[in-house]
C-alpha cells in the first residue's frame, strides 16, 4: 500500500558514479509507494536491505528477467509488465511450496518516464500486495527495457517441493488450463487482436502460490509450467530419473482456447506453448482424494493428465494411444 512521507534511514541524495539525479528521482517514486513492514528492518535507501528471517525457516530465492519484445509483446501495457515480472517469479516460489515474502526489482529503462514507471508499479504492487510481498530494493539503470525481479520466500526448514521425487506409478497433474497464453501470442503474431480472455492469461498470469503450499507433503515433485508442459515435465523426469506419459485429450483447455483452436494446433499450444504459469506436479494415486479436496478448497481445477513411468523422457499420447510428435522442430528438446 502506498504510504507517502515515510522517513527512511538514508535519503537518496548526492552524486555518485553510475547514478544520475534522474535515476534517483525514479527510485524515489518507487520508495514513496512502498510501506514499512516489521520483517523489513531496512528497505529501500541503503546499500542493502536487511530482512528478518524467522527462525526455523529456509529462504527460497528465485530470479527471472523479462526483456521487451522477447518475454512480452512490445505493445504490452506497463501495468501488465509490472504484474508479469513479479508473477513469473512468484510462480517459481509456488512450485517450491514457498511463502513469498520479499522482492527486489532491477529496472533497465530507455527513458526516465515517470508515467510509465507509475503504471508499472500499479501492476507490480497490486500483485505484491495480494501475496504479502514487500519490495525491499533494486537497481535502476538506463538501457533497453528489461525487468529483472528476485523474490525471496520462506519454507519450513527441511520442507519445500522439488523437481526430484517423482516415482513410477505416480499421477501427473496440472492446475488450471494450458495453452491460453501461447494462443494469445499466436493470435497477436498473426496480426489480429487476441481474444481478450486469452490475452489476459498472457499479460496477467496468476501464480499458484496457495496451491504450491497446499501440495507440500502430498506432491512427490512439482514445477511451474513456463516453457511448455512437455519441456517442464521433462525437467521433473530428468531430476527424478523417470519418464512420463501424457494423454493429450486430458489436457485442460479454457472455453476460449477450445473454440479458437483444434487438432494439432491446439495440442501444440497446450503441450509446448509455454507462459502458462500453472503447476505441474506428481503424486501417488493414494493422494487423489486429498488433491481433489484442495481443488475444491481453492476453487482451482486440478486435472490428472498422465502418469510417471520407468525409463526416460516424456511421451504425449493421442486418444488411440499412438505417440504424438510436435510439429515444430524446435519443440523436440522436451525429452528428459
Ligand atoms: P547503490 O549505488 O548502493 O547500488 P542505488 O543508487 O542503486 O544504490 O539504489 C539506492 C537504493 O534504492 C538502494 O537501497 C536500492 O536497493 C534502491 N533501489 C534502486 N533501484 C530500485 C528499484 N528499481 N526498485 C526498488 N528499489 C530500488
Ligand atoms: Mg545500484
Amino acid at each position: 500500500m502506498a504510504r507517502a512521507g515515510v522517513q527512511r534511514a538514508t535519503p537518496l541524495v548526492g552524486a555518485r558514479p553510475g547514478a544520475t539525479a534522474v535515476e534517483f528521482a525514479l527510485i524515489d517514486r518507487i520508495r514513496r509507494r512502498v510501506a514499512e513492514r516489521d520483517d523489513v528492518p531496512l528497505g529501500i535507501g541503503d546499500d542493502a536491505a536487511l530482512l528478518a528471517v524467522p527462525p526455523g525457516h529456509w529462504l527460497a530465492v528465485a530470479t527471472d528477467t523479462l526483456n521487451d519484445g522477447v518475454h512480452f509483446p512490445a505493445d504490452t501495457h506497463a501495468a501488465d509488465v509490472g504484474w508479469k515480472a513479479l508473477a513469473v517469479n512468484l510462480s517459481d516460489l509456488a512450485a517450491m511450496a514457498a511463502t513469498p515474502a520479499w522482492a527486489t526489482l532491477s529496472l533497465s529503462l530507455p527513458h526516465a518516464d515517470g508515467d510509465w514507471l507509475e503504471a508499472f508499479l500499479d501492476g507490480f504492487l497490486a500483485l505484491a500486495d495480494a501475496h504479502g510481498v514487500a519490495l525491499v530494493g533494486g537497481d535502476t539503470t538506463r538501457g533497453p527495457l528489461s525487468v529483472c525481479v528476485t523474490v525471496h520466500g520462506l519454507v519450513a526448514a527441511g520442507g519445500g517441493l522439488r523437481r526430484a521425487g517423482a516415482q513410477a506409478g505416480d499421477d501427473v497433474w496440472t492446475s488450471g488450463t494450458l495453452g491460453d497464453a501461447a494462443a494469445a501470442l499466436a493470435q497477436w503474431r498473426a496480426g489480429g487482436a487476441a481474444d481478450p480472455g486469452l490475452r489476459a492469461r498472457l499479460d496477467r498470469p496468476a501464480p499458484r502460490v496457495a496451491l504450491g503450499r497446499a501440495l507440500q507433503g502430498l506432491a512427490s515433485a512439482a514445477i511451474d509450467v513456463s516453457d511448455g508442459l512437455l519441456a517442464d515435465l521433462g525437467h521433473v523426469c530428468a531430476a527424478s530419473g523417470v519418464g512420463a506419459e501424457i494423454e493429450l485429450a486430458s489436457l485442460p483447455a479454457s472455453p476460449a482456447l477450445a473454440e479458437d483452436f483444434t487438432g494439432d494446433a491446439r495440442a501444440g499450444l497446450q503441450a509446448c506453448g509455454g507462459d502458462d504459469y500453472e503447476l505441474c506436479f506428481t503424486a501417488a494415486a493414494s493422494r487423489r482424494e486429498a488433491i481433489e479436496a484442495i481443488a475444491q478448497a481453492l476453487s482451482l481445477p486440478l486435472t490428472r493428465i498422465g502418469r510417471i513411468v520407468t525409463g526416460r523422457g516424456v511421451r504425449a499420447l493421442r486418444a488411440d494411444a499412438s505417440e504424438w510428435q510436435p510439429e515444430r522442430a524446435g519443440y523436440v528438446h522436451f525429452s528428459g
Side-chain angles (χ1 to χ4, degrees), residues 177-199:
T177 58
L178 296 171
D180 294 337
L185 199 57
Q187 290 173 336
W188 181 80
R189 283 200 178 124
D195 175 283
L198 297 177
R199 180 71 198 236

Side-chain angles (χ1 to χ4, degrees), residues 225-324:
V225 182
S226 54
D227 297 333
L229 173 71
L230 299 185
D232 288 317
L233 181 57
H235 297 317
V236 167
C237 288
S240 302
V242 294
E245 289 176 354
I246 293 301
E247 284 151 22
L248 283 180
S250 69
L251 298 184
S254 69
L257 182 88
E259 194 171 301
D260 294 353
F261 297 90
T262 54
D264 263 16
R266 172 175 157 185
L269 294 170
Q270 292 208 275
C272 308
D275 255 2
D276 295 298
Y277 303 104
E278 298 294 350
L279 292 188
C280 175
F281 57 96
T282 60
S286 60
R287 305 295 201 175
R288 285 178 190 171
E289 272 185 28
I291 290 167
E292 274 149 19
I294 291 171
Q296 291 283 322
L298 298 179
S299 299
L300 174 65
L302 300 176
T303 306
R304 270 190 291 128
I305 58 173
R307 67 202 69 79
I308 296 295
V309 297
T310 55
R312 298 190 71 75
V314 181
R315 292 174 359 115
L317 304 177
R318 295 193 190 86
D320 64 1
S322 65
E323 186 170 353
W324 175 83

Side-chain angles (χ1 to χ4, degrees), residues 33-288:
R33 293 191 56 174
V34 173
E36 290 187 326
R37 234 167 69 161
D38 286 349
D39 62 348
V40 185
L42 195 58
I44 296 172
D46 214 308
D47 293 316
L50 296 175
L51 309 173
V53 181
H57 288 77
W58 287 348
L59 269 184
V61 182
T63 297
D64 259 324
T65 302
L66 300 190
N67 290 327
D68 187 17
V70 179
H71 299 101
F72 53 89
D75 67 352
T76 306
H77 190 276
D80 293 332
V81 177
W83 175 286
K84 188 166 184 177
L86 183 58
V88 302
N89 278 279
L90 293 182
S91 181
D92 282 323
L93 290 187
M96 301 300 290
T99 303
W102 307 296
T104 55
L105 168 63
S106 185
L107 272 177
S108 166
L109 301 175
H111 317 285
D113 182 341
D115 290 342
W116 189 93
L117 180 64
E118 296 289 351
F120 172 91
L121 291 171
D122 289 344
F124 185 97
L125 295 174
L127 188 64
D129 281 351
H131 289 280
V133 172
L135 178 59
V136 300
D139 199 30
T140 304
T141 56
R142 202 179 284 244
L145 177 57
S146 174
V147 184
C148 177
V149 173
T150 300
V151 285
H152 301 72
L154 299 167
V155 297
L161 276 173
R162 301 169 190 218
R163 295 179 180 185
Q167 297 195 358
D170 283 355
D171 296 322
V172 179
W173 296 77
T174 186
S175 61
T177 58
L178 296 171
D180 294 337
L185 199 57
Q187 290 173 336
W188 181 80
R189 283 200 178 124
D195 175 283
L198 297 177
R199 180 71 198 236
R201 293 290 313 272
L202 179 67
D203 289 338
R204 295 229 165 194
R208 304 304 190 189
V209 172
L211 173 62
R213 293 173 61 190
L215 289 174
Q216 169 130 4
L218 282 178
S220 50
I223 193 166
D224 69 314
V225 182
S226 54
D227 297 333
L229 173 71
L230 299 185
D232 288 317
L233 181 57
H235 297 317
V236 167
C237 288
S240 302
V242 294
E245 289 176 354
I246 293 301
E247 284 151 22
L248 283 180
S250 69
L251 298 184
S254 69
L257 182 88
E259 194 171 301
D260 294 353
F261 297 90
T262 54
D264 263 16
R266 172 175 157 185
L269 294 170
Q270 292 208 275
C272 308
D275 255 2
D276 295 298
Y277 303 104
E278 298 294 350
L279 292 188
C280 175
F281 57 96
T282 60
S286 60
R287 305 295 201 175
R288 285 178 190 171

